[in-house]
Amino acid sequence: MVKFRLERVSAPLWFRPLIPLIALLVTFLLTTLLVLWAGADPLKVYYYFLIAPLSSRVALIEVLVKSTPLLLTGASVAFAFSAGYWNIGAEGQLYAGAMAGAWLGMFLGGVSPVAGIPLMMAGGFLAGAVWAFGPAILKTRLNVDEVVTTLLLNSVILFLVSYLLNGPWRSPVSMWPQSPEIAQGAHYFRLLPRARLHFGFVVGLAVIVIEWFVLQHTPLGLRMRAVGLGKKAAQFAGLNVNRTMLVAALISGGIAGLAGVGEVAGIHFHLIESISDGLGYSGIIIATLGGLHPFGVGLAAFFIGLIDTGAQSLSRALGVPVYLGTVVQAILLLVTLSLFVLQNYRLRRA
Amino acid sequence: MEIFLVGWVAATLRVATPLIFGTLGELFSERSGVLNLGIEGTMFLGAFIGFTVASKSGSLWLGFFTAVLVGMLSGWLMALLAVRLGVNQHVAGLGMTLLWTGFSLFGFRLIFGEPKVPPSITPFQSLSILPDSTFLGPVINQHGLTYVAFLLIPLTGWVLHRTRFGLNVRAVGENPEAADAAGLDVYQIRTLALMIGGGLMAGGGAFLSLAQLGAFTYGIVAGRGWVCIALIIFANWRAVGVLWGALIFGGVAALQLRLQTMGLQLPYELFLALPYLVTILALIIAGRNASAPAALLKAYRRE
């Protein structure tokens, strides 16, 4: 029998950009099994995932609508991860921003959107940062692991939202567990006629570009990347590691908060319990797929939006359960993670 | 008052059961140095597999053991990613949770369709050791699996602290380099620990569908996996601590349920959020004294 062993070598430069493509190929090969189980034609399924959402105006706009919060949660996670701060709490910080947006929106009756929208955005950013503050200060002052604290606070804020929606904020009109409608002056404006693509998409793109600029061209970005590469080395180089992580964590929380504001002000116009349903966790996928680079994050957010839209039309057209989209995302994430490691190895005959 | 207390204690033990399974599973994983955030999804997968197999075969126990077996496979997959390849543990774990959540819902829809009335099975019946009318009847007459869960606590403590295997698990979780130098196969031991852990997590999920509900629903696990992550810290990574943690959490959850059904107007969400906040508090107080395994979250690469 021929024996193989793994040898450690650096991947050639041309290989790195190929990783997403290889990952996609492997992912689709693996999901073919599930597609066959569902009794569908794999080629048709991939057509619905990759081509159909791009081939009509309505579907393409839906992809952009779906990508809007993902741009922001992806950017939020990538920002924190870049500084080596493992913020798993974008989900909770998104809810904090959505709560702030829904709350401020109630009082903005008669206010012009020119004042109302910036106010809501500022409030959402602040709320997200506040929700991120606890774990960040615990990490930097007491060295308490942020993975667990940010994760647990996601559950805590869901209880808080549930309490508000079933109690003080319950809409007196509908009696559903949803907050009162926000004022007209707090609505994000529409970008296109007869489509629900809204101002939040512009916010998302702007945040991506700003994040790229901050990470690549400012002293803060340089410090963050240095800390992300290695905390000990950054410390020796005289950087204030804790302060850098704290700032990164707060801004990361703020960006996730903006995603929450966008869902309230651009889509629902009130707060509901299922307003996120995992957008923050998708941000972790997107940040990883995008290699923590803002532009990569932008592409990944668009791609996940594509898969989400495709999964929905897939279930309508072919009767394949919509959850196939979730499975594809998960497998894509795990395969990409593996390829990032495997690219540094080569199979050799022993 | 006595009836209230007896009912409360009985409910506490029931609520604590899946938490004990899940937390002991996470204990094996973390003691070997791997944080398994796939727990939420693995419990969901266990609930799905357990229900489906039991419903199709008519055997509850076959459902339970199939779920445990599939959970072990899930642990093996986590080991392939986080141990063999050494990818980022928390991202891989969250990916596993997403994978099993999506997979279970996908499979459930394919097998059972979308009927108006969700499919159900006759769940496990409580043991009848004492007549239900006796004072302690409701407390003693628990599910067999509840007894299993409580027996698993001392068993886990014994395995981790009194057997060669447990010593190895703790060694690779504290100092994999030294363990390797002493001739242990770090990868293999961590893989085994993750497989045992995955089996226990899935068993906890299967308890929910096979004993507690007799059905499989979208919200069947509802964050219990994250509660287990919290309980581990509360338990300070010791089996006996899991007992107290699960009882306290189960007690609070059972109490709020009972007060709610009695019609008391309470901000019950506060009760539900309390264990998470207490855990964070425990993390702060424990601070540097927390006995988290030293190599937790660190992938081991043999050079």
Side-chain angles (χ1 to χ4, degrees):
Chain A
M1 209 178 101
V2 190
K3 279 197 167 175
F4 291 98
R5 69 195 166 87
L6 284 175
E7 196 170 80
R8 207 158 185 185
V9 283
S10 288
L13 265 181
W14 54 264
F15 187 74
R16 240 186 125 78
L18 288 181
I19 288 182
L21 292 177
I22 299 172
L24 195 62
L25 205 68
V26 175
T27 301
F28 277 164
L29 282 176
L30 288 173
T31 34
T32 299
L33 293 173
L34 291 180
V35 172
L36 292 176
W37 181 21
D41 177 353
L43 286 178
K44 264 192 189 153
V45 167
Y46 302 138
Y47 169 80
Y48 274 101
F49 267 131
L50 296 178
I51 318 274
L54 300 174
S55 56
S56 83
R57 178 178 177 273
V58 178
L60 182 59
I61 290 173
E62 194 51 32
V63 172
L64 298 182
V65 171
K66 286 231 161 34
S67 327
T68 298
L70 298 173
L71 283 170
L72 288 164
T73 53
S76 158
V77 174
F79 199 73
F81 280 20
S82 295
Y85 180 85
W86 302 106
N87 180 15
I88 310 294
E91 180 82 358
Q93 291 140 19
L94 182 149
Y95 272 103
M99 274 168 60
W103 181 70
L104 286 168
M106 291 181 215
F107 302 105
L108 292 173
V111 177
S112 135
V114 180
I117 290 176
L119 194 66
M120 273 183 72
M121 287 176 61
F125 189 92
L126 199 68
V130 166
W131 199 251
F133 180 75
I137 199 79
L138 289 178
K139 167 73 178 181
T140 51
R141 281 289 156 81
L142 299 170
N143 202 20
V144 174
D145 179 43
E146 76 277 21
V147 173
V148 174
T149 48
T150 51
L151 179 72
L152 295 184
L153 283 181
N154 290 344
S155 302
V156 172
I157 201 159
L158 265 177
F159 292 124
L160 184 58
V161 168
S162 164
Y163 163 72
L164 287 173
L165 294 185
N166 290 297
W169 282 9
R170 180 187 287 241
S171 162
V173 188
S174 68
M175 292 312 282
W176 288 107
Q178 62 183 44
S179 69
E181 298 293 302
I182 58 172
Q184 202 72 37
H187 286 205
Y188 275 8
F189 49 83
R190 295 282 155 95
L191 298 181
L192 296 165
R194 301 187 313 281
R196 52 183 201 145
L197 186 64
H198 57 85
F199 173 61
F201 184 68
V202 180
V203 175
L205 291 183
V207 164
I208 292 278
V209 175
I210 295 170
E211 182 169 314
W212 167 78
F213 183 81
V214 168
L215 281 175
Q216 298 297 329
H217 296 286
T218 65
L220 171 67
L222 186 68
R223 282 201 300 273
M224 280 174 59
R225 285 183 292 137
V227 172
L229 282 175
K231 296 191 175 94
K232 283 223 175 80
Q235 192 106 48
F236 279 127
L239 294 182
N240 190 334
V241 171
N242 282 335
R243 197 184 178 79
T244 309
M245 279 203 293
L246 183 67
V247 172
L250 295 184
I251 294 177
S252 165
I255 298 173
L258 281 181
V261 172
E263 291 307 282
V264 168
I267 302 282
H268 297 281
F269 309 117
H270 52 244
L271 182 63
I272 49 171
E273 265 182 80
S274 59
I275 200 157
S276 169
D277 213 15
L279 291 172
Y281 296 111
S282 298
I284 297 168
I285 302 180
I286 289 162
T288 307
L289 293 181
L292 303 187
H293 189 287
F295 295 155
V297 166
L299 281 176
F302 179 76
F303 186 76
I304 296 295
L306 191 74
I307 298 280
D308 277 342
T309 314
Q312 280 179 359
S313 54
L314 190 62
S315 85
R316 274 196 305 270
L318 301 181
V320 176
V322 67
Y323 305 109
L324 187 62
T326 315
V327 177
V328 167
Q329 288 177 29
I331 295 182
L332 186 61
L333 172 71
L334 297 177
V335 170
T336 310
L337 275 176
S338 310
L339 285 177
F340 278 145
V341 175
L342 283 177
Q343 66 169 335
N344 294 321
Y345 290 88
R346 184 175 289 174
L347 212 53
R348 275 278 166 84
R349 264 186 194 196
Chain B
M1 191 62 200
E2 283 85 9
I3 292 173
F4 176 84
L5 274 180
V6 167
W8 180 32
V9 172
T12 297
L13 300 177
R14 201 162 51 241
V15 174
T17 302
L19 298 177
I20 291 174
F21 272 106
T23 312
L24 292 178
E26 189 67 32
L27 184 63
F28 269 103
S29 313
E30 293 196 17
R31 274 294 190 159
S32 80
V34 182
L35 174 74
N36 190 353
L37 292 184
I39 181 172
E40 178 84 7
T42 307
M43 289 180 81
F44 199 67
L45 180 70
F48 162 64
I49 296 285
F51 176 79
T52 306
V53 171
S55 154
K56 294 295 172 192
S57 72
S59 162
L60 292 166
W61 283 110
L62 185 65
F64 182 79
F65 284 112
T66 314
V68 170
L69 212 65
V70 172
M72 293 178 77
L73 280 178
S74 155
W76 176 82
L77 183 61
M78 180 69 189
L80 182 69
L81 293 163
V83 178
R84 294 274 167 191
L85 289 175
V87 309
N88 184 315
Q89 287 179 11
H90 27 275
V91 179
L94 289 168
M96 295 284 291
T97 285
L98 192 72
L99 175 66
W100 294 139
T101 308
F103 174 81
S104 304
L105 292 169
F106 180 85
F108 187 74
R109 183 65 62 79
L110 275 188
I111 295 169
F112 295 97
E114 280 176 280
K116 287 236 167 57
V117 184
S120 62
I121 50 172
T122 313
F124 279 117
Q125 300 303 306
S126 308
L127 304 175
S128 42
I129 298 166
L130 290 174
D132 261 334
S133 51
T134 51
F135 179 60
L136 280 177
V139 173
I140 301 294
N141 293 341
Q142 295 283 345
H143 288 292
L145 283 172
T146 299
Y147 279 96
V148 173
F150 279 89
L151 288 175
L152 276 171
I153 295 174
L155 183 67
T156 301
W158 180 77
V159 168
L160 281 175
H161 294 276
R162 292 280 180 275
T163 65
R164 170 58 57 96
F165 173 70
L167 179 69
N168 292 350
V169 167
R170 288 183 294 129
V172 300
E174 292 295 335
N175 193 336
E177 289 82 7
D180 193 352
L184 296 181
D185 186 340
V186 177
Y187 295 155
Q188 194 181 50
I189 292 165
R190 284 187 168 177
T191 303
L192 275 175
L194 276 168
M195 286 177 73
I196 296 172
L200 288 168
M201 293 167 191
F207 175 85
L208 291 170
S209 63
L210 295 178
Q212 198 156 308
L213 274 184
F216 176 76
T217 62
Y218 184 89
I220 191 165
V221 177
R224 283 184 180 81
W226 308 141
V227 173
C228 295
I229 299 278
L231 286 179
I232 281 283
I233 296 155
F234 192 83
N236 211 14
W237 288 270
R238 297 187 71 85
V240 61
V242 174
L243 175 67
W244 306 125
L247 284 178
I248 292 171
F249 183 87
V252 172
L255 182 65
Q256 72 81 19
L257 265 177
R258 298 189 78 71
L259 293 178
Q260 231 186 324
T261 47
M262 285 166 67
L264 253 71
Q265 287 294 322
L266 283 170
Y268 67 94
E269 291 91 351
L270 181 69
F271 276 83
L272 292 175
L274 217 54
Y276 296 94
L277 297 172
V278 170
T279 299
I280 294 174
L281 202 67
L283 267 173
I284 299 168
I285 294 168
R288 290 182 186 81
N289 298 325
S291 36
L296 191 64
L297 283 171
K298 294 194 186 86
Y300 179 64
R301 286 219 176 94
R302 221 180 159 177
E303 294 304 330

Coordinates of all heavy atoms in Angstrom, one line a residue, chain A residues 92-127:
Chain A
G92 N -26.9 39.6 19.8 CA -27.4 40.4 20.9 C -27.3 41.9 20.6 O -28.2 42.7 20.9
Q93 N -26.1 42.3 20.1 CA -25.9 43.7 19.8 C -26.8 44.2 18.8 O -27.3 45.4 18.8 CB -24.4 43.9 19.5 CG -23.5 43.7 20.6 CD -22.2 42.9 20.3 OE1 -21.8 42.9 19.1 NE2 -21.6 42.3 21.2
L94 N -27.2 43.4 17.8 CA -28.2 43.8 16.8 C -29.5 44.0 17.5 O -30.2 45.0 17.2 CB -28.3 42.6 15.8 CG -29.3 42.8 14.6 CD1 -28.8 42.1 13.4 CD2 -30.7 42.4 14.9
Y95 N -29.9 43.2 18.4 CA -31.2 43.4 19.1 C -31.1 44.7 19.9 O -32.1 45.4 20.0 CB -31.5 42.2 20.0 CG -32.2 41.1 19.4 CD1 -31.6 39.9 19.0 CD2 -33.6 41.2 19.1 CE1 -32.3 38.9 18.3 CE2 -34.3 40.2 18.4 CZ -33.7 39.1 18.1 OH -34.4 38.1 17.4
A96 N -30.0 45.0 20.5 CA -29.9 46.2 21.3 C -30.1 47.4 20.4 O -30.8 48.3 20.7 CB -28.5 46.3 21.9
G97 N -29.5 47.4 19.2 CA -29.7 48.4 18.2 C -31.2 48.5 17.8 O -31.7 49.6 17.6
A98 N -31.8 47.4 17.5 CA -33.2 47.3 17.1 C -34.1 47.9 18.2 O -35.0 48.6 17.9 CB -33.6 45.9 16.7
M99 N -33.8 47.6 19.5 CA -34.6 48.1 20.6 C -34.5 49.6 20.6 O -35.5 50.3 20.8 CB -34.1 47.5 21.9 CG -34.7 46.2 22.3 SD -33.8 45.4 23.6 CE -34.0 46.7 24.9
A100 N -33.2 50.1 20.5 CA -33.0 51.6 20.6 C -33.8 52.2 19.4 O -34.4 53.3 19.6 CB -31.5 51.9 20.5
G101 N -33.7 51.6 18.2 CA -34.3 52.2 17.1 C -35.9 52.2 17.3 O -36.5 53.3 17.0
A102 N -36.4 51.1 17.8 CA -37.9 51.1 17.9 C -38.3 52.1 19.0 O -39.4 52.7 18.9 CB -38.3 49.6 18.3
W103 N -37.5 52.2 20.0 CA -37.8 53.1 21.1 C -37.8 54.6 20.7 O -38.7 55.3 20.9 CB -36.9 52.9 22.3 CG -37.1 53.7 23.5 CD1 -38.2 53.6 24.4 CD2 -36.4 54.8 24.0 NE1 -38.1 54.6 25.3 CE2 -37.0 55.3 25.1 CE3 -35.2 55.4 23.6 CZ2 -36.5 56.4 25.9 CZ3 -34.7 56.4 24.3 CH2 -35.3 56.9 25.4
L104 N -36.7 54.9 20.0 CA -36.5 56.3 19.6 C -37.6 56.6 18.5 O -38.2 57.7 18.5 CB -35.1 56.5 19.0 CG -34.0 56.6 19.9 CD1 -32.6 56.6 19.2 CD2 -34.1 57.9 20.7
G105 N -37.9 55.6 17.7 CA -38.8 55.8 16.6 C -40.2 56.2 17.1 O -41.0 56.8 16.4
M106 N -40.5 55.8 18.3 CA -41.9 56.1 18.9 C -42.0 57.6 19.1 O -43.1 58.1 19.1 CB -42.1 55.3 20.2 CG -42.2 53.8 20.1 SD -42.5 53.2 21.8 CE -41.6 51.7 21.7
F107 N -40.9 58.3 19.4 CA -41.0 59.7 19.8 C -40.7 60.6 18.7 O -40.6 61.8 18.9 CB -40.0 59.9 20.9 CG -40.3 59.1 22.1 CD1 -39.4 58.0 22.4 CD2 -41.4 59.2 22.9 CE1 -39.6 57.2 23.5 CE2 -41.6 58.4 24.0 CZ -40.8 57.4 24.3
L108 N -40.5 60.1 17.5 CA -40.1 61.0 16.4 C -41.2 61.5 15.5 O -41.0 62.0 14.4 CB -39.0 60.3 15.5 CG -37.7 60.0 16.2 CD1 -36.8 59.2 15.4 CD2 -37.0 61.3 16.7
G109 N -42.5 61.4 16.1 CA -43.6 62.0 15.3 C -43.4 63.4 15.0 O -43.0 64.2 15.8
G110 N -43.6 63.8 13.7 CA -43.5 65.2 13.3 C -42.1 65.6 13.0 O -41.8 66.8 12.6
V111 N -41.1 64.7 13.3 CA -39.7 65.1 13.1 C -39.3 64.8 11.6 O -39.8 63.8 11.1 CB -38.8 64.3 14.1 CG1 -37.3 64.7 13.8 CG2 -39.1 64.6 15.5
S112 N -38.6 65.6 11.0 CA -38.2 65.4 9.7 C -37.2 64.2 9.6 O -36.4 64.0 10.5 CB -37.5 66.7 9.1 OG -36.3 66.3 8.4
P113 N -37.2 63.4 8.5 CA -36.3 62.3 8.4 C -34.9 62.7 8.4 O -34.0 62.0 8.9 CB -36.6 61.7 7.0 CG -38.0 62.2 6.7 CD -38.2 63.5 7.4
V114 N -34.6 64.0 8.0 CA -33.2 64.5 8.0 C -32.6 64.5 9.4 O -31.4 64.2 9.6 CB -33.1 65.9 7.4 CG1 -31.7 66.4 7.4 CG2 -33.7 65.9 6.0
A115 N -33.5 64.7 10.4 CA -33.1 64.7 11.8 C -33.3 63.3 12.4 O -32.5 62.8 13.2 CB -33.8 65.7 12.6
G116 N -34.5 62.7 12.0 CA -34.9 61.4 12.7 C -34.0 60.3 12.4 O -33.6 59.5 13.3
I117 N -33.6 60.1 11.1 CA -32.8 59.0 10.7 C -31.4 59.0 11.4 O -31.0 58.0 12.0 CB -32.7 58.8 9.2 CG1 -34.1 58.4 8.7 CG2 -31.7 57.8 8.7 CD1 -34.2 58.4 7.2
P118 N -30.7 60.1 11.3 CA -29.4 60.1 12.0 C -29.5 59.9 13.5 O -28.6 59.2 14.1 CB -28.8 61.6 11.7 CG -29.5 62.0 10.5 CD -30.9 61.4 10.5
L119 N -30.6 60.4 14.1 CA -30.8 60.2 15.5 C -30.9 58.7 15.8 O -30.3 58.2 16.7 CB -32.0 61.0 15.9 CG -32.1 61.2 17.4 CD1 -31.0 62.0 18.0 CD2 -33.5 61.8 17.8
M120 N -31.8 58.0 15.0 CA -32.0 56.6 15.2 C -30.7 55.8 15.0 O -30.4 54.9 15.8 CB -33.0 56.1 14.3 CG -34.4 56.3 14.8 SD -35.6 55.6 13.6 CE -35.3 53.8 13.8
M121 N -29.9 56.2 14.0 CA -28.7 55.5 13.7 C -27.7 55.7 14.9 O -27.1 54.7 15.3 CB -28.1 56.0 12.4 CG -28.8 55.5 11.2 SD -28.2 56.1 9.7 CE -26.6 55.5 9.6
A122 N -27.6 56.9 15.4 CA -26.7 57.2 16.5 C -27.1 56.4 17.7 O -26.3 55.8 18.4 CB -26.7 58.7 16.8
G123 N -28.5 56.4 18.0 CA -29.0 55.6 19.1 C -28.7 54.1 19.0 O -28.3 53.5 20.0
G124 N -28.9 53.6 17.8 CA -28.7 52.1 17.6 C -27.2 51.8 17.7 O -26.9 50.8 18.3
F125 N -26.3 52.6 17.2 CA -24.9 52.4 17.3 C -24.5 52.4 18.8 O -23.8 51.5 19.2 CB -24.1 53.5 16.5 CG -22.6 53.2 16.4 CD1 -22.2 52.5 15.3 CD2 -21.8 53.6 17.4 CE1 -20.8 52.3 15.2 CE2 -20.4 53.3 17.3 CZ -19.9 52.7 16.2
L126 N -25.0 53.4 19.5 CA -24.7 53.5 20.9 C -25.2 52.3 21.7 O -24.5 51.7 22.5 CB -25.3 54.8 21.4 CG -24.7 55.3 22.7 CD1 -23.3 55.8 22.5 CD2 -25.6 56.5 23.3
A127 N -26.4 51.9 21.4 CA -27.0 50.7 22.1 C -26.2 49.5 21.9 O -25.9 48.7 22.8 CB -28.5 50.6 21.7

